[in-house]
Amino acid sequence: MTISSTAAAVDQSTSPSLRSRFAKNFARFLSSPLNCFSLGLTTLLFLLALLAPVIAPYPYEQINPANSLSPPTWEHIMGTDQVGRDIFSRVLYGARISLSMAVMTIFVGLASGVFVGAVSGYLGGVADEVIMRVVEIFMSIPGIILALALVAVLGPSPLFIVLALSIRRITQFARVTRGAVLGVKALDYVAACRVIGMSNVRILFFHVLPNCIGPIIVLATVLMGNVILLESTLSFLGLGIQEPTPSWGTMIAAGNELLTFAPWLSLFPGGFLFLTMLAFNLLGDGVRDHLDPRGASVI
C-alpha cells in the first residue's frame, strides 16, 4: 500500500454519516425526561430573550412615576418598579442581556482556551510547562475577585464585562482541552498520522481535537449558568450592566431594600435567574452523563 493510499485510509471515515449519528445521539439524549425538561426550559429562555422586543408590552426604559411600585395586575403582570417601569418588560430584556453576554463569554473562552490547551497538550515540554504555569496563576485567583478587579479597573461597559468574565473561562477550557489532548495524542492512529508525514497542525486540528469535543461541549454547557450568575453578581454589586439597561442583578439589588413592601421587585428577576441556573445545570449534567457515562468531572 502506498503512502497516499494509506493517508486516504486514515482520512476516510467508515462510520455512518454525521447527520445520522447526530440524530441517533440526540434521540438517545431526549430519552431522559430530565434532559427533555432542561432542554425545553433552556430553549424557552432563549426564545423569550430573542423575542423580547415582540413580547414585552412596554419599552424597558419607559417610566411612569404616577404608577410607581404598582403590584402585579393585568396591566402590569409583574408589577412596576420605583419609577413606574414595567417589571415584565425589564425581565425579558434582562434575559436578553444575560444570555447574550453569557454566549459571548463562552465563545471567547472556548475559542481561546481550546487553542491554548490544544497547543500546550500537543507540544508538551517547555511550552506546556510555561503555558500551564500561567493558567494555574489565573486559576488560583477566585473568579469573582478577578472579575471585580478587572471591571473596577477597565469600567463596567459590556465589552469589558465580557472580557473580565472570559479570562477565567479561558483557563478552564485550556485545562480541560489539554487533558483531553494528552489522552488522544497517545493513541495509535496519531502515531500513524505522523508516520505517513502529516503536519502537526493537520494532526492536531483535524485528527486530535475532533476527538476531544465531548468534554469541551460539557464544560461549555455547565459554564453557561455559571457565567450568567457571575454577571448578575457583578450587576448586583454595581459593577455590571448600568441603568437604565436592565439586568437581573441590578433589578434584584434595586428591590433589596423593599422586600417587605414590594417583594415583586426582586422576586420575579430572582425567579428567572433561578430558572436559568436550574435549566443550564440540569442540561450540563445531562450532556455530561450522555457524553461521559463514567461521570468523570470536566472542571
Side-chain angles (χ1 to χ4, degrees):
M1 182 179 290
T2 64
I3 291 179
S4 60
S5 61
T6 304
V10 172
D11 286 333
Q12 182 178 11
S13 174
T14 59
S15 57
S17 67
L18 181 62
R19 181 180 301 178
S20 174
R21 283 182 292 165
F22 175 80
K24 290 180 180 179
N25 276 282
F26 189 65
R28 187 158 57 91
F29 176 78
L30 292 180
S31 63
S32 168
L34 198 58
N35 291 345
C36 290
F37 170 77
S38 60
L39 182 61
L41 184 55
T42 304
T43 304
L44 176 61
L45 289 169
F46 272 105
L47 287 175
L48 290 176
L50 183 65
L51 300 176
V54 178
I55 301 174
Y58 304 95
Y60 69 83
E61 75 277 15
Q62 179 178 315
I63 65 174
N64 182 11
N67 197 31
S68 62
L69 295 179
S70 172
T73 62
W74 287 113
E75 184 180 2
H76 299 281
I77 59 175
M78 292 185 180
T80 62
D81 63 8
Q82 294 93 326
V83 293
R85 294 175 299 194
D86 183 65
I87 296 293
F88 179 57
S89 300
R90 292 181 62 78
V91 164
L92 291 178
Y93 277 95
R96 192 182 183 92
I97 295 294
S98 295
L99 290 174
S100 62
M101 294 189 68
V103 169
M104 288 188 292
T105 299
I106 294 299
F107 176 78
V108 173
L110 188 151
S112 304
V114 167
F115 178 80
V116 171
V119 171
S120 175
Y122 188 78
L123 293 181
V126 176
D128 182 36
E129 287 293 328
V130 172
I131 293 174
M132 283 299 105
R133 296 300 80 77
V134 174
V135 167
E136 288 172 1
I137 290 173
F138 282 99
M139 289 291 293
S140 66
I141 306 173
I144 183 63
I145 302 299
L146 180 61
L148 284 171
L150 289 174
V151 173
V153 172
L154 300 175
S157 72
L159 177 62
F160 292 146
I161 293 173
V162 170
L163 176 62
L165 297 176
S166 299
I167 299 296
R168 184 60 177 262
R169 299 334 117 195
I170 292 173
T171 61
Q172 291 172 308
F173 278 109
R175 285 187 61 191
V176 169
T177 304
R178 174 183 177 270
V181 168
L182 286 175
V184 172
K185 80 171 187 177
L187 298 179
D188 292 339
Y189 83 90
V190 177
C193 289
R194 293 196 185 99
V195 168
I196 63 177
M198 288 188 185
S199 66
N200 287 327
V201 173
R202 183 177 180 184
I203 294 174
L204 175 58
F205 291 102
F206 290 92
H207 297 282
V208 174
L209 267 184
N211 289 293
C212 303
I213 197 68
I216 296 172
I217 293 176
V218 173
L219 182 61
T221 308
V222 171
L223 288 182
M224 276 290 294
N226 180 269
V227 170
I228 291 173
L229 180 62
L230 192 55
E231 182 274 324
S232 298
T233 302
L234 290 176
S235 298
F236 182 86
L237 297 174
L239 291 174
I241 300 299
Q242 302 296 301
E243 292 283 2
T245 305
S247 170
W248 291 337
T250 54
M251 295 176 70
I252 295 171
N256 195 35
E257 298 178 356
L258 300 173
L259 284 177
T260 57
F261 178 70
W264 58 86
L265 294 177
S266 297
L267 179 63
F268 290 111
F272 267 76
L273 179 59
F274 169 77
L275 288 176
T276 303
M277 291 295 300
L278 178 67
F280 280 109
N281 284 337
L282 291 178
L283 184 62
D285 288 342
V287 172
R288 181 197 61 202
D289 294 340
H290 179 73
L291 296 178
D292 184 14
R294 294 170 301 176
S297 174
V298 297
I299 300 179

